Amino acid sequence: MSHDLPHLDLDHLPLPDTSQLHHAADSGHAPRILILYGSLRPQSFSRKLALEAERVLNHLGAETRVFDPHQLPMLDSVPASHPEVQRLREWSAWSEGQVWVSPERHGTLTGIFKNQIDWLPLEDGSVRPTQGRTLAVMQVSGGSQSFNVVNALRVLGRWMRMVTIPNQSSVAKAWQQFDQDGRMKPSAFYDRVVDVMEELMKFTLMVRGRSDYLVSRYSERKGDAIQQKPAKAVGAIEKA
């Protein structure tokens, strides 16, 4: 495995022990993680943080995809058949976990980031595209440390019925935290990013294969049973 993480102390970051975490029916493939970020700026610090997170996830054994929001239209300005909308939805369905990274703007997440989430339907037929997937939330700020964005992202994650991990990352004065090559400098902020990615990997390995059971709800099972009764009655009449 290539090592492109010079600030990591590898003695203190063992790879996830799948014997303790995986489900009996787990196929053993690499955890699939989708990363979303919320800025179109050429020097986007949320993108830089997203790519740094991806490097850590790759080191830990994940398969990753980073969605580029540049060509994603504003919600409802085009049909959902638009190629970028379809790509975002397909990647979300492919994922077993996600990382959301947004700058803080006017005290909350950016419209660029929210637009990506708004294109992911809460329901698609009988399938909820994000339900049961794990989620890690992170933010970057131009000034002092804030938790407005990660708090807002947690609300979104709950609304999308995702399993949001306890840890999170908020990088203050982000313009000081990256070098000229776009790499994150060694710091307590960097160590927290590693913490969050390590925790996301562990939760993803625990949850995948079990997510349908974990998020199964009494009210929905009851509702489904009520809806099925008329169909069963029609079938019985037709047989008679």
Side-chain angles (χ1 to χ4, degrees):
M1 179 182 297
S2 62
H3 178 43
D4 187 29
L5 298 164
H7 309 319
L8 277 188
D9 185 341
L10 295 180
D11 291 338
H12 298 289
L13 187 66
L15 299 184
D17 185 350
T18 57
S19 67
Q20 297 187 51
L21 299 171
H22 74 79
H23 185 262
D26 194 333
S27 66
H29 64 265
R32 299 191 293 259
I33 307 296
L34 171 63
I35 305 173
L36 306 179
Y37 63 93
S39 171
L40 303 182
R41 295 173 59 202
Q43 293 299 320
S44 166
F45 292 109
S46 65
R47 181 176 184 274
K48 292 178 181 180
L49 185 58
L51 295 178
E52 202 66 50
E54 182 183 34
R55 294 182 185 99
V56 177
L57 288 168
N58 290 159
H59 171 75
L60 292 172
E63 180 182 357
T64 54
R65 295 179 182 178
V66 179
F67 184 80
D68 183 345
H70 277 79
Q71 303 303 318
L72 183 69
M74 290 301 295
L75 181 69
D76 296 334
S77 66
V78 299
S81 58
H82 188 281
E84 286 302 292
V85 176
Q86 287 299 301
R87 183 163 69 100
L88 175 60
R89 292 184 174 187
E90 289 168 4
W91 284 15
S92 180
W94 163 86
S95 72
E96 296 168 323
Q98 298 188 14
V99 179
W100 293 355
V101 189
S102 176
E104 179 171 346
R105 186 157 300 160
H106 299 307
T108 188
L109 53 92
T110 62
I112 296 299
F113 187 88
K114 184 60 162 52
N115 188 51
Q116 296 171 76
I117 303 304
D118 287 344
W119 272 119
L120 297 177
L122 185 60
E123 295 188 24
D124 185 5
S126 60
V127 178
R128 291 174 174 79
T130 53
Q131 179 166 302
R133 285 164 174 76
T134 54
L135 172 64
V137 297
M138 301 197 294
Q139 74 171 83
V140 292
S141 303
S144 58
Q145 192 171 39
S146 165
F147 300 98
N148 291 327
V149 170
V150 287
N151 290 338
L153 292 176
R154 286 185 178 278
V155 171
L156 277 179
R158 183 170 68 248
W159 193 256
M160 301 301 283
R161 297 187 179 179
M162 302 178 77
V163 181
T164 308
I165 66 171
N167 213 340
Q168 61 189 24
S169 170
S170 174
V171 179
K173 297 182 180 178
W175 51 277
Q176 294 182 343
Q177 301 303 322
F178 295 86
D179 62 24
Q180 293 183 344
D181 296 322
R183 297 301 303 271
M184 197 169 184
K185 300 175 183 178
S187 67
F189 289 126
Y190 177 80
D191 290 347
R192 174 58 68 89
V193 172
V194 176
D195 288 347
V196 174
M197 294 306 102
E198 181 184 21
E199 188 171 291
L200 177 65
M201 282 288 287
K202 291 177 180 178
F203 270 77
T204 302
L205 288 166
M206 287 194 299
V207 169
R208 70 175 187 177
R210 300 180 174 91
S211 60
D212 289 344
Y213 173 72
L214 291 172
V215 298
S216 176
R217 299 183 176 190
Y218 159 75
S219 59
E220 293 175 351
R221 295 193 300 272
K222 181 181 176 181
D224 290 343
I226 293 173
Q227 291 179 358
Q228 290 171 9
K229 284 183 179 180
K232 290 180 179 179
V234 170
I237 292 172
E238 290 176 349
K239 288 181 180 180

